[in-house]
Amino acid sequence: MSVYGMGSLFCGTEEQLDNFVNEGFVCIGWKKEDKPELYAILNNIKIGDIIYIKALPLSSKTMRIKAVGIVTTALKTENTHHGYEECGNEIGIKWLKSNINKSINIDDSNINKRKGSLFVETNTEYIDKIISFI
């Protein structure tokens, strides 16, 4: 099992968390040709992995956890949801908790990767905290 952090704010202003939760999915708001490195990560996400939705503003060291879920379907290259319909990627999620709103103070060297749209979480201390929020 792997743990992944994802953002839910597209284009800087379009919050997608309600769409994700209501329709049981996640996606990223980037096209494959624009962010192939994100698609490399997406392709590694497997059923049973954990995904958490986070917010980590550029000038902050406090990551807010919004929701945690478990992957239920592998990556699709089409949209079956009604939310952000232009994403062209979709992973099914069973949301375990979707109204968390708890924070983690980030003090390791990987803070910049956590500010992005999608990343693999490797810090076991943070993983333990995320799981405790469920």
Side-chain angles (χ1 to χ4, degrees):
M1 172 196 72
S2 296
V3 177
Y4 297 87
M6 293 185 81
S8 60
L9 190 63
F10 290 6
C11 300
T13 59
E14 298 175 27
E15 178 59 66
Q16 298 301 312
L17 182 61
D18 287 343
N19 293 329
F20 291 171
V21 169
N22 292 338
E23 297 199 45
F25 78 101
V26 292
C27 68
I28 58 172
W30 295 98
K31 301 288 184 199
K32 187 173 186 175
E33 56 272 10
D34 296 329
K35 293 286 184 174
E37 66 277 13
L38 296 179
Y39 281 79
I41 297 171
L42 279 173
N43 285 323
N44 286 321
I45 297 174
K46 307 282 185 249
I47 294 171
D49 286 343
I50 291 175
I51 293 198
Y52 69 90
I53 304 298
K54 55 80 185 171
L56 182 55
L58 290 176
S59 62
S60 179
K61 289 188 173 188
T62 301
M63 181 169 65
R64 187 168 49 94
I65 308 303
K66 300 177 182 181
V68 178
I70 189 164
V71 175
T72 58
T73 63
L75 177 65
K76 299 175 188 175
T77 56
E78 66 212 33
N79 298 327
T80 62
H81 58 270
H82 297 95
Y84 192 80
E85 297 191 35
E86 297 178 19
C87 65
N89 59 82
E90 179 180 308
I91 295 173
I93 302 288
K94 176 174 179 31
W95 293 105
L96 303 174
K97 193 156 185 189
S98 61
N99 57 349
I100 296 173
N101 201 26
K102 302 250 180 171
S103 296
I104 296 174
N105 291 321
I106 303 299
D107 61 2
D108 67 9
S109 62
N110 292 319
I111 191 166
N112 286 335
K113 80 172 185 177
R114 288 188 180 85
K115 292 182 185 288
S117 299
L118 173 65
F119 61 92
V120 180
E121 182 59 74
T122 57
N123 186 306
T124 55
E125 178 186 342
Y126 301 158
I127 291 170
D128 287 345
K129 286 182 183 179
I130 290 160
I131 290 171
S132 77
F133 296 155
I134 300 175

